[in-house]
Amino acid sequence: METLTDLESVPDGRLWEAVAADDHGAFTALFERHAQSVWNYAYRLTGSWSAAEDVLSTTFLTAWRRRADVVLIRESALPWLYTVAANLVRNDHRRRNRFLRLVPKLVSTDESRDHAEELAEQDHTQQRLKKVLAAVDELPTAERQAVQLCLVGRMSTADAAELLGITEVSVRSRLSRARTRLRGMTEESFDE
Amino acid sequence: MSDPFDVPERELPDHVRQSVLHRISTEIAHERPRRRLGATPLLIAASVVALMAGATIVTSTLTANKDHTTLNATPSTAHPTTSTSGATGAYLWNGVPYWGMDAQMQRCVDATQKPVDGWFPLLRVSRNGLTAMLYRLGTDIVFCQVTKEHVTTKAMPYPQPPSGKAPGELLFTTPDGTYAGVVAPNLYNLQLRMDTLHGDNAAVNDSVFILPNSFRPGDKIDLGSSGSDYVTVTDMPQPTEPTVTVGGPKADRTSLGGQRLAACLPTANPPVVDADYWAPAAVIQTDATHWLQLGTLDGRLIACNRSGSTFTVDQPNLDVVEKHSVLMTGKISADGNAELNVLAVGLATDPRAAKVTLARAGKQDASAPVDHGTVILHGEGTLLPGRGQNRFTVVDSAGNVIEQFTQ
């Protein structure tokens, strides 16, 4: 047994091994390390900060529940967490709500959305994002996965290829087809 | 037109972080202890298509379990432990249940002047340079809070578990905004609400709770747990003042930087721990009432922001960003001071560090000198949202690169 005192400097792979051994401290360290990225990614997947919070909760709860089944062989846990988040979003709110007990959000005395979110929803950027996300949802599965990882998650095509188990050329090809379809559906441009 | 997915990255607000941790911990607390049947782990590898409960999983499998490494924040040797079975809220606020003797515990023992035998640690939490602990000692419950400069202890007879509607009983508070007490048996989450806008989750273990360095104690506080209504504490304990003061030298408050910190730090809520001991460091300003002043104490960083008559105090959590040998960077909010164009603040951990430059594609480089071990990078735009798109270069006084990293 090895005892390390500085969890913050431990690579994800070793943290995950400790999580698999029920180490709550390691799980918290993993959460602290990636929660912000997952939360922002979830927003880009849903166009809602409130939904992003749900997705963040459920993504890490999924990670905890699957701790014994999963061995991380990559340097970072983030791609896997992104994949979990994307699947949660794909499976919609109903699954999330079943998956999460009805645990209330912290000291939420007002069930209505906060003022900031109300304002944000009026924002053109958010409306635009939601429109594009609706189009992404219509894409064939293979293209949608590539878009979620590379365009939404900013993952490199090489990393996405490794995660999806296909060649990098295939990822690029899927992205290219997806961009063409998305342009047709939304009249938006997508960075190459 | 820009890429529709090019949405600026937001910093995770503390209330969202706390809320999510609370929800996860509550879920975990409701789970049955995991049965260890030697299940073969799945390999997350090239063939993974999707991974989540109920989703399609295509994987390779390993033929054997790997040896697990146990990572402990502190050694745990002094006491036998009760199994927590994964069903506690102990890990909030870096919580550690049932730890062993260490330097902090020794400070508690010394401050109470009670014999070391018989101290049974129940829960330890830490936040912003403050560590709070609860012990069982004979028939007493002992609260102890240590900071760099102070030790605060108080003991009282161990109370009966709370009954009735209240999920917990508040026994101890400190001027630093720490709260501790007992909760009903088998309760693993507790929220403390100072008012409708201010509240936090407490760490819970073995029927005790601690919330460290939260909002300043006021006239009233409510306790609640998931699925129950809030109950107002009717018998608020008086904040316990420090028992021992180390007596180290207080920081400069005569210089302009010192005066800025003196004006700013007392306004913070949650209170700044050891507020008199933070030394002034880097500053940027537009005029006498619009500035950002950094302070340091014991390897930590604080940012005081003044916009007119409004002060905001930010303690960037450098623990959750990647640590580098020379520079740790964090983002802060400079409310009302948009014209300062603050991109990031940093703490140099290497005394050779003299200047830091931030490079971003499509933006002008932002450079700033290291001032008393800290740096404020400011310039056009914001940090770029994607990982690896912000390159920091640290040089010494001769211009030699001593560290370079991306975030």
Side-chain angles (χ1 to χ4, degrees), chain B residues 315-360:
Chain B
Q315 292 196 55
N317 191 353
L318 299 175
D319 287 337
V320 301
V321 300
E322 291 166 52
K323 281 185 177 171
H324 300 276
S325 59
V326 176
L327 179 79
M328 296 182 288
T329 60
K331 284 180 275 184
I332 56 141
S333 57
D335 294 342
N337 275 334
E339 65 274 22
L340 293 178
N341 294 317
V342 177
L343 297 167
V345 295
L347 183 68
T349 52
D350 186 324
R352 294 175 302 159
K355 191 173 100 170
V356 179
T357 300
L358 165 66
R360 297 160 294 164

Side-chain angles (χ1 to χ4, degrees), chain A residues 11-26:
Chain A
D12 279 8
R14 297 185 65 197
L15 269 186
W16 187 261
E17 290 173 8
V19 171
D22 294 351
D23 187 322
H24 286 227

Side-chain angles (χ1 to χ4, degrees), chain A residues 55-108:
Chain A
V55 172
L56 174 62
S57 301
T58 318
T59 298
F60 275 90
L61 190 58
T62 303
W64 176 260
R65 287 177 175 166
R66 294 188 58 84
R67 65 196 182 281
D69 306 327
V70 164
V71 172
L72 208 61
I73 62 163
R74 297 170 56 81
E75 227 171 72
S76 168
L78 201 55
W80 182 68
L81 292 169
Y82 277 7
T83 310
V84 173
N87 278 294
L88 288 166
V89 170
R90 180 65 180 167
N91 284 280
D92 215 353
H93 291 272
R94 285 174 303 167
R95 181 184 290 278
R96 288 209 299 276
N97 289 340
R98 280 204 306 274
F99 202 61
L100 261 187
R101 210 176 295 268
L102 294 176
V103 180
K105 291 179 185 177
L106 176 62
V107 290
S108 176

Side-chain angles (χ1 to χ4, degrees), chain B residues 180-205:
Chain B
V182 294
V183 294
N186 301 318
L187 188 72
Y188 296 108
N189 68 84
L190 186 76
Q191 296 94 51
L192 287 84
R193 186 174 69 176
M194 292 69 188
D195 55 49
T196 53
L197 291 178
H198 300 108
D200 266 329
N201 279 309
V204 178
N205 184 59

Side-chain angles (χ1 to χ4, degrees), chain A residues 2 4 8 20 22-24 32 40 54 65 68-69 71 73 80 101 107 109 128 154 162-163 165, chain B residues 1-2 5 10 12 17 19 23 27 31 34 42-44 46 48 51 70-72 91 193 230 319:
Chain A
E2 184 184 356
L4 298 177
E8 304 300 338
D22 294 351
D23 187 322
H24 286 227
E32 299 290 9
N40 276 279
D54 289 343
R65 287 177 175 166
D69 306 327
V71 172
I73 62 163
W80 182 68
R101 210 176 295 268
V107 290
T109 52
R128 192 174 157 223
R154 314 267 181 233
E162 190 183 341
L163 196 72
Chain B
M1 191 179 279
S2 64
F5 296 119
R10 275 197 196 180
L12 183 66
R17 175 184 166 281
S19 175
R23 297 171 84 187
E27 288 294 323
E31 287 182 347
R34 187 164 57 115
L42 303 175
L43 184 67
I44 299 179
V48 174
L51 283 166
T70 299
L71 307 175
N72 292 320
Y91 61 81
R193 186 174 69 176
Y230 281 97
D319 287 337

